[in-house]
Amino acid sequence: MAIALNATLAERRLALQCLVVVCVLMTLGSCYGLFVAGPAGLLSPFEWLTIPPMLLTGLVMLGLLLWRGTIWLERIAFGLSIWISIYIAGNVANALFLTKDGDKVFIHMGWAIPVYLFMFAVNERKRALWLSGLTAGSILISVGTYLAEHAAAGSSQLDAMVSWSLAQLAALALIAGVSHFRELYAIENAAAAALADSNSRISALAERLSESEARARRLIDLAPDVPGLLDDTACVIEIGPNCRDIWGMEREAIIGRPLASLFSATDQLVVTARLDAARGGAPRRMQPGQVRHANGQEKPVLWSVIWSPVASQYYLWAQPAE
């Protein structure tokens, strides 16, 4: 349980750190665009449309982080990931095709790394892989189209763009791989924790069962009556140690013998009839009888027997009548 809790806390901490990075980038980048690049005439019509809602998104998320932490994040993680992905891919395409000489394209491509981290931190691994893969694919399609159109230019920017694209793919593969192994590690830890918890519960149950059996055994040993257990043929399979007070024999000498053989010859037919009546549902009541003592004498007892159809066994109670 402690391992699973630590893994959860670490995942929340990673999600928080990635989200803070994304929010800061969105807020600072949008502020730069609106208050620096915009007045200087460097923004395209696309940027004038996308920067204000992204600035609002960044400010709202920062406000929610300060107010509610990451509690709210799980509910909107998928939609937020799509929104940021569209923004990143759109700005890369805008920087490549709508601004002069691909201006600021590397800044927008650099955003992709913390965005991938954010997606893997706040979404399920498969969903995060699809989201980040589509984002990377959109960016690379734009980059590939740009490279195809400007292949003859031979500028150093093209080489840098290729390097950035390869670095982005490598980063995405690394993040996905780490996420995959982290998930496997979390599953193994969860399974180990569950197994340890199950073993602990089994040990506790076994200990309580042992204590219960010990208490039951002490109760039987100290009871003035002699409880016994008979199989469906009315042979003794268990009997209390106080049997020596009635029959003058240890329990080992009695176990395995038919109950009727422990009574006097005149009572054996009565015992057999009582056993048959018990099978028929006769109520339990103590009745007098004579048992054969080990010294050859007959001793008076009070005894009763009841039949359990569920266990297919008889339960016996006997006590001296003297």
Side-chain angles (χ1 to χ4, degrees):
M1 294 300 291
I3 294 175
L5 180 60
N6 289 337
T8 301
L9 292 175
E11 186 170 340
R12 288 181 179 175
R13 192 177 302 114
L14 176 60
L16 178 61
Q17 292 170 350
C18 294
L19 184 58
V20 168
V21 171
V22 172
C23 290
V24 170
L25 286 173
M26 291 169 63
T27 304
L28 294 181
S30 300
C31 288
Y32 170 80
L34 284 179
F35 304 114
V36 178
L42 301 177
L43 295 184
S44 67
F46 176 83
E47 289 173 312
W48 279 115
L49 291 175
T50 58
I51 286 178
M54 290 309 294
L55 175 59
L56 180 61
T57 302
L59 292 175
V60 169
M61 287 194 296
L62 286 174
L64 288 173
L65 283 175
L66 294 174
W67 178 41
R68 300 284 290 172
T70 57
I71 298 175
W72 57 275
L73 186 58
E74 183 177 351
R75 300 176 183 176
I76 65 170
F78 184 63
L80 185 60
S81 300
I82 293 177
W83 170 229
I84 296 175
S85 176
I86 292 173
Y87 175 76
I88 296 297
N91 272 280
V92 169
N94 171 76
L96 287 172
F97 300 107
L98 300 180
T99 60
K100 185 179 180 180
D101 297 328
D103 187 27
K104 301 189 294 295
V105 64
F106 300 117
I107 296 176
H108 295 297
M109 289 180 68
W111 274 54
I113 307 304
V115 169
Y116 297 152
L117 285 170
F118 170 73
M119 289 178 179
F120 277 95
V122 300
N123 293 287
E124 295 178 0
R125 193 185 71 85
K126 290 184 179 179
R127 179 176 289 183
L129 193 60
W130 277 106
L131 284 170
S132 53
L134 289 174
T135 304
S138 302
I139 293 173
L140 294 179
I141 288 173
S142 297
V143 171
T145 303
Y146 182 85
L147 292 176
E149 292 179 358
H150 298 79
S155 66
S156 59
Q157 185 183 25
L158 298 182
D159 296 334
M161 203 174 298
V162 172
S163 300
W164 263 103
S165 301
L166 294 177
Q168 180 180 236
L169 288 177
L172 179 57
L174 178 62
I175 294 169
V178 170
S179 174
H180 176 65
F181 285 109
R182 185 169 63 89
E183 183 181 76
L184 293 179
Y185 182 70
I187 292 173
E188 291 178 358
N189 280 341
L195 180 60
D197 183 62
S198 298
N199 289 337
S200 176
R201 291 174 182 270
I202 291 173
S203 298
L205 288 173
E207 184 177 352
R208 287 198 294 269
L209 179 61
S210 178
E211 293 175 355
S212 177
E213 290 178 346
R215 287 194 298 268
R217 174 55 61 185
R218 287 194 297 269
L219 182 63
I220 292 174
D221 291 346
L222 297 176
D225 293 351
V226 178
L229 189 64
L230 316 177
D231 61 17
D232 58 352
T233 63
C235 291
V236 180
I237 57 177
E238 185 60 72
I239 196 165
N242 291 339
C243 60
R244 68 177 72 90
D245 296 334
I246 296 179
W247 284 279
M249 294 183 289
E250 299 295 332
R251 57 186 296 275
E252 289 77 11
I254 294 178
I255 291 176
R257 297 179 60 174
L259 178 65
S261 68
L262 299 174
F263 282 76
S264 65
T266 56
D267 277 359
Q268 289 184 5
L269 291 178
V270 175
V271 171
T272 301
R274 181 61 185 170
L275 290 169
D276 293 338
R279 276 184 179 263
R284 174 193 170 191
R285 59 184 179 83
M286 302 297 284
Q287 62 185 50
Q290 298 284 332
V291 299
R292 298 170 56 185
H293 196 271
N295 59 14
Q297 298 179 349
E298 295 184 354
K299 293 187 64 175
V301 297
L302 293 174
W303 70 283
S304 177
V305 70
I306 187 172
W307 168 254
S308 171
V310 176
S312 297
Q313 294 174 336
Y314 292 96
Y315 295 93
L316 169 71
W317 289 269
Q319 63 184 49
E322 298 175 348

